[in-house]
Amino acid sequence: MSTLTVKEQQRRKIATQCGFIAALDQSGGSTPTALHAYGIDDGAWSTEEEMFDLVHRMRTRIVTSPCFNGDRVFGAILFEGTMDRQIEGQPAADYLWGRKRVVPFLKVDKGLAEERDGVRLMKPIPQLDGLLERANTKGIFGTKMRSVIVQADPVGIAAIVDQQLDLAVRILDAGLMPIVEPEVDIHCPEKASAETLLRAALLAALERLPAERQLIFKLTLPEQDGLYADLVTHPQVLKVVALSGGYVRSEGNLRLRRNPGVVASFSRALVEGLAARQSDADFDATLDASIQAIFEASMT
């Protein structure tokens, strides 16, 4: 009888299991905001390393909570610094899969370039090949990379999709599963038009992808309900997940329920209500309620 490899098990879990992906990948630019929301002020750290120590403690508290496991959370996106650290004496990715049965992903982009043609492309990733090789050795299943659409500009949106898909092919060549995240800013003045342009560009890009290859799309919850239904059922799309994008959890969940087949990949909405000062019992209860609400919204 054949035995599935770890990556085959992980791919099957993502394809078939109900649940969602936890986005725990705040990097240098977004970490202070995440810590402030968690109740830790700037004065609590004096160096970047101390700041990352604090956010690692927050992430560790989340993933070691009894309510955080692969029954409802089938994946987690990590910051590079988290991948290189340990959780309860184990490398982070090994802990997530071995102890929690949560599939580990890695954020690989290096932030956003200045706006041009209504979008913010990703900055160059000069050491990408080395990072992908290291991710493979550390038990990472896939990657995530974010760019942002701020205007309904067809030139800029085409450029974003081209950049994302070019990098996705390199990631697939390295044996990893790419999460392609062309976020539409929720404050975009023509958000619905931008999303319609993006959908068309993504469908066209899939036609250029070899038939045997799949990827994951991470998209902003759209103004038009069911806009991404063709992507959800597309044979080259393993999953369509949604970012919270600045929506509070209740609004994100409401929009998620109106888009069947799309599941959550929430960050701020997931940790909403968590605080460093909470007792373990209160922290776990708050996180459990958040996970359950997002899980239920992802089951439509």
Side-chain angles (χ1 to χ4, degrees), residues 172-235:
L172 287 164
D173 287 343
L176 296 161
M177 172 61 62
I179 298 178
V180 170
E181 184 184 5
E183 175 182 347
V184 178
D185 192 312
I186 64 171
H187 303 296
C188 174
E190 297 179 305
K191 182 171 178 282
S193 296
E195 289 164 345
T196 299
L197 289 168
L198 176 61
R199 173 186 173 276
L202 292 175
L203 286 168
L206 287 171
E207 293 180 4
R208 306 195 299 268
L209 196 68
E212 72 280 1
R213 294 194 148 182
Q214 287 185 309
L215 43 71
I216 297 171
F217 285 130
K218 181 170 178 174
L219 306 172
T220 305
L221 289 158
E223 296 303 295
Q224 178 185 330
D225 296 343
L227 179 67
Y228 297 125
D230 288 349
L231 295 175
V232 170
T233 59
H234 198 289

Side-chain angles (χ1 to χ4, degrees), residues 9 20 23-24 27-28 46 61 67 99 114 127-128 144 151 211 215 233 237 248 251 259 264 267 270 277 287 300:
Q9 293 175 50
F20 66 96
L24 305 174
S27 56
S46 57
R61 195 179 186 191
C67 66
R99 294 277 296 275
E114 294 300 316
Q127 306 300 323
L128 178 61
K144 190 212 79 164
Q151 300 288 338
L215 43 71
T233 59
V237 179
V248 297
E251 175 68 13
N259 288 274
S267 176
L270 170 64
R277 65 182 179 276
L287 180 60
T300 57

Side-chain angles (χ1 to χ4, degrees), residues 28-293:
S30 56
T31 295
T33 302
L35 288 172
H36 294 160
Y38 187 53
I40 298 177
D41 296 327
D42 290 349
W45 69 87
S46 57
T47 67
E48 187 175 77
E49 185 62 26
E50 290 176 353
M51 179 184 73
F52 284 130
D53 285 343
L54 288 169
V55 81
H56 184 66
R57 286 180 213 162
M58 180 184 79
R59 290 167 178 152
T60 296
R61 195 179 186 191
I62 291 169
V63 302
T64 58
S65 172
C67 66
F68 188 97
N69 58 62
D71 293 342
R72 294 177 293 179
V73 182
F74 62 68
I77 305 170
L78 307 178
F79 173 55
E80 184 180 351
T82 305
M83 178 185 74
D84 291 333
R85 291 178 183 245
Q86 294 194 337
I87 298 174
E88 293 193 341
Q90 288 184 266
D94 290 349
Y95 178 88
L96 281 169
W97 180 247
R99 294 277 296 275
K100 297 286 187 162
R101 279 299 183 262
V102 172
V103 180
F105 291 82
L106 173 68
K107 167 187 162 68
V108 296
D109 69 82
K110 300 301 180 183
L112 301 171
E114 294 300 316
E115 181 181 338
R116 180 177 178 181
D117 295 325
V119 303
R120 298 186 67 186
L121 296 170
M122 288 176 279
K123 291 179 179 178
I125 314 174
Q127 306 300 323
L128 178 61
D129 291 340
L131 180 58
L132 298 178
E133 182 178 351
R134 193 152 56 86
N136 269 313
T137 65
K138 288 179 176 286
I140 296 292
F141 173 76
T143 66
K144 190 212 79 164
M145 48 197 175
R146 171 179 174 261
S147 43
V148 178
I149 297 165
V150 293
Q151 300 288 338
D153 187 315
V155 173
I157 290 171
I160 267 199
V161 172
D162 285 347
Q163 184 191 44
Q164 285 275 1
L165 268 290
D166 286 347
L167 289 171
V169 169
R170 288 177 62 186
I171 291 162
L172 287 164
D173 287 343
L176 296 161
M177 172 61 62
I179 298 178
V180 170
E181 184 184 5
E183 175 182 347
V184 178
D185 192 312
I186 64 171
H187 303 296
C188 174
E190 297 179 305
K191 182 171 178 282
S193 296
E195 289 164 345
T196 299
L197 289 168
L198 176 61
R199 173 186 173 276
L202 292 175
L203 286 168
L206 287 171
E207 293 180 4
R208 306 195 299 268
L209 196 68
E212 72 280 1
R213 294 194 148 182
Q214 287 185 309
L215 43 71
I216 297 171
F217 285 130
K218 181 170 178 174
L219 306 172
T220 305
L221 289 158
E223 296 303 295
Q224 178 185 330
D225 296 343
L227 179 67
Y228 297 125
D230 288 349
L231 295 175
V232 170
T233 59
H234 198 289
Q236 290 173 275
V237 179
L238 180 62
K239 210 79 172 181
V240 178
V241 303
L243 57 125
S244 49
Y247 293 125
V248 297
R249 184 168 60 242
S250 58
E251 175 68 13
N253 285 343
L254 183 65
R255 287 173 174 260
L256 194 60
R257 289 178 184 275
R258 300 201 301 260
N259 288 274
V262 179
V263 305
S265 178
F266 288 176
S267 176
R268 280 170 288 182
L270 170 64
V271 301
E272 188 179 308
L274 299 181
R277 65 182 179 276
Q278 287 173 316
S279 68
D280 287 344
D282 287 345
F283 181 94
D284 291 340
T286 301
L287 180 60
D288 182 60
S290 175
I291 288 173
Q292 184 62 25

